[in-house]
Amino acid sequence: MKTETSIKLFNEAQLHIPGGVNSPVRAFKQVGGTPLFMSRADGAYIFDADGNKYIDYINSWGPMILGHSHPSVVAAVKAQAEKAFSFGTPTALETELARLIKTMVANIEMVRFVSSGTEACMSAARLARGFTGRSKIVKFEGHYHGHADMFLKKAGSGMATLDIKLAGGVPLAVTDDTISLPFNDAGAVERAVAENKDAIAAIILEPAAGNMGCVPPALGYLEFLRKICSDNNIVLIFDEVMTGFRLSRGGAQEKLNVWADLVTFGKVIGGGLPVGAFGGRKDIMSHIAPLGNVYQAGTLSGNPLAMTAGFTTLSELNANPGIYTELERKGKYLAQKMAEIFTRKKTPHIINQLGSMISIHFCNNPVSDFTTAAAGNNETFKKFFHHMLDNGIYLPPSAFETWFLCDSLTEADLQKTLAACESFSAL
């Protein structure tokens, strides 16, 4: 492939932008090489500045569940853009999207929109502290809840990709009240709750992790967390920034049949435009200003363009539940066939898949937490990443990120992906 334009653009970007990127994982640091600069997208495909075409398994890290440039979403955004980009005042669009979210997610009684997943998780944690009068937050190693100071303790995603053990600029005092535990370990949670009796405000987690690869919860684990939170008056927060409206109409909560007290959203509820939200029980949400004294604000919260894109995207998903059945089928098929290929090729591997989220780990042991995810052979992943890229398959440039499938993905796309896996040699 010709990549001269991307190389030129990256060299220029590094003169003006730290590392040449505006989000660390884009820099290709874990996999090596020069990041590709994209120019357009359509359906299941993205096209770089040199004109190369790729099957896209990032899908803007999840929100393009319908595929890129979906006609109904494009038309709605164009129509709204002609009216206004932003007001800084209330709009009916915010209420319409909030009502739709409540319709799709059974336990959401009130919603507050923000502008990113980081804001959503940060605000939900603050709200839990304000509601309970407690200060400690439990999170899990390898789970990423954005870059707010309190969460940058053994976080996944970009920190894991860049092997950053201690985030610079974050005072230790800020994370003193953050308790980080291994995922899928019930005993660790029981001990933490006992040792911090009446001091834990919330337990926050990705119900199905996507920031250390795809790592589903162990059987019964979410039910255990639900019970221990209820028994100890702890607010259970599900970070569904990735899984919300992706794993099912009602997100991971509906698919796994466990319901949190607060839920954070992002990505898909903006149809690919910057957005975030948190919602849940009315008695908790009523503590947010202006109803209560837990302060949260944002000039561009509820931005009309994002509300329009999100409402149109969720309306398509709400009206066509068969999309989830198809995504599940494609995810299972891809995981099964990849496993068959790598088994036949005697390449050590573990493939985790849940719905339209999937990841491959080049190791022999099951991947159920951050420690086992980190045990994968990164040298093999680097070779695999660049091999797939050379064959027109764009994967996340990190072994610690899940792949995302979209509805626009065709059978031919799946077969091309599998053919590229077949021709890969780990040697």
Side-chain angles (χ1 to χ4, degrees):
M1 293 186 300
K2 292 182 178 180
T3 59
E4 289 86 351
T5 304
S6 279
I7 293 172
K8 180 181 178 182
L9 290 170
F10 186 50
N11 290 336
E12 176 71 12
Q14 291 178 88
L15 299 176
H16 310 287
I17 300 170
V21 295
N22 285 302
S23 192
V25 75
R26 300 177 191 174
F28 276 28
K29 188 169 182 180
Q30 189 185 58
V31 295
T34 300
L36 301 179
F37 280 57
M38 297 302 159
S39 60
R40 66 184 184 91
D42 181 36
Y45 316 112
I46 51 177
F47 302 80
D48 68 21
D50 289 278
N52 299 304
K53 176 183 177 182
Y54 308 88
I55 299 172
D56 183 17
Y57 284 102
I58 293 184
N59 282 292
S60 194
W61 303 100
M64 314 315 298
I65 190 168
L66 299 174
H68 292 280
S69 303
H70 190 276
S72 62
V73 179
V74 171
V77 170
K78 282 183 176 179
Q80 178 56 46
E82 291 178 351
K83 297 177 183 176
F85 291 177
S86 182
F87 296 104
T89 69
T91 68
L93 295 168
E94 297 160 76
T95 304
E96 290 173 7
L97 181 54
R99 184 187 297 118
L100 179 56
I101 289 171
K102 288 175 59 177
T103 298
M104 296 176 73
V105 187
N107 65 327
I108 300 296
E109 295 179 321
M110 300 188 85
V111 180
R112 170 63 65 87
F113 292 111
V114 293
S115 295
S116 70
T118 291
E119 283 186 66
C121 292
M122 176 184 71
S123 302
R126 180 184 296 163
L127 175 57
R129 284 170 162 164
F131 175 71
T132 62
R134 303 171 178 178
S135 61
K136 293 187 181 294
I137 302 289
V138 171
K139 68 173 291 292
F140 296 94
E141 296 169 8
H143 288 222
Y144 181 70
H145 306 295
H147 62 269
D149 288 0
M150 76 181 88
F151 297 130
L152 293 183
K153 188 173 185 177
K154 297 185 179 180
S157 192
M159 281 189 67
T161 299
L162 298 175
D163 196 28
I164 296 174
K165 300 291 193 302
L166 186 64
V170 179
L172 293 178
V174 176
T175 57
D176 280 349
D177 283 332
T178 301
I179 302 168
S180 188
L181 304 175
F183 185 46
N184 280 326
D185 185 338
V189 177
E190 288 177 332
R191 289 189 293 274
V193 171
E195 292 167 3
N196 296 275
K197 188 168 179 58
D198 298 328
I200 298 174
I203 293 178
I204 184 171
L205 71 153
E206 299 174 76
N211 287 289
M212 49 182 171
C214 175
V215 181
L219 186 65
Y221 186 68
L222 295 185
E223 290 84 353
F224 156 76
L225 291 178
R226 176 64 279 173
K227 185 175 189 307
I228 201 167
C229 284
S230 297
D231 290 348
N232 292 276
N233 298 314
I234 296 169
V235 176
L236 180 60
I237 305 173
F238 278 179
D239 177 348
E240 291 226 46
V241 169
M242 282 187 170
T243 58
F245 308 101
R246 169 162 281 281
L247 293 183
S248 74
R249 183 174 173 272
Q253 292 188 108
E254 179 183 289
K255 185 171 183 63
L256 302 172
N257 195 32
V258 179
W259 303 88
D261 301 307
L262 292 177
V263 188
T264 63
F265 298 111
K267 302 185 187 294
V268 71
I269 66 163
L273 294 181
V275 75
F278 60 102
R281 286 168 36 191
K282 184 176 181 180
D283 62 320
I284 301 177
M285 293 296 294
S286 295
H287 283 255
I288 283 284
L291 292 180
N293 66 352
V294 178
Y295 193 73
Q296 181 279 325
T299 300
L300 295 180
S301 297
N303 175 271
L305 291 177
M307 296 295 97
T308 298
F311 181 81
T312 308
T313 299
L314 293 191
S315 294
E316 288 280 343
L317 294 172
N318 193 40
N320 299 287
I323 289 174
Y324 294 108
T325 304
E326 265 300 283
L327 286 171
E328 178 86 33
R329 183 190 68 79
K330 291 173 183 175
K332 285 183 176 179
Y333 176 79
L334 189 61
Q336 176 190 340
K337 294 301 179 183
M338 285 174 62
E340 291 175 2
I341 289 169
F342 288 115
T343 298
R344 188 169 62 251
K345 295 166 75 68
K346 295 183 169 53
T347 301
H349 68 280
I350 293 293
I351 297 175
N352 283 351
Q353 175 262 330
L354 184 64
S356 57
M357 296 168 62
I358 185 171
S359 61
I360 182 167
H361 306 262
F362 290 104
C363 58
N364 287 312
N365 300 316
V367 173
S368 59
D369 57 19
F370 183 68
T371 299
T372 49
N377 188 323
N378 192 52
E379 290 305 312
T380 300
F381 181 82
K382 286 181 186 178
K383 293 178 182 177
F384 179 66
F385 172 82
H386 283 287
H387 172 81
M388 299 299 278
L389 197 63
D390 290 342
N391 282 273
I393 315 292
Y394 199 95
L395 304 178
S398 167
F400 293 104
E401 302 285 359
T402 187
W403 310 4
F404 296 100
L405 280 63
C406 74
D407 187 52
S408 298
L409 202 65
T410 67
E411 295 302 317
D413 296 330
L414 294 174
Q415 295 308 318
K416 181 176 179 178
T417 303
L418 294 171
C421 290
E422 187 72 63
S423 62
F424 171 68
S425 174
L427 300 178

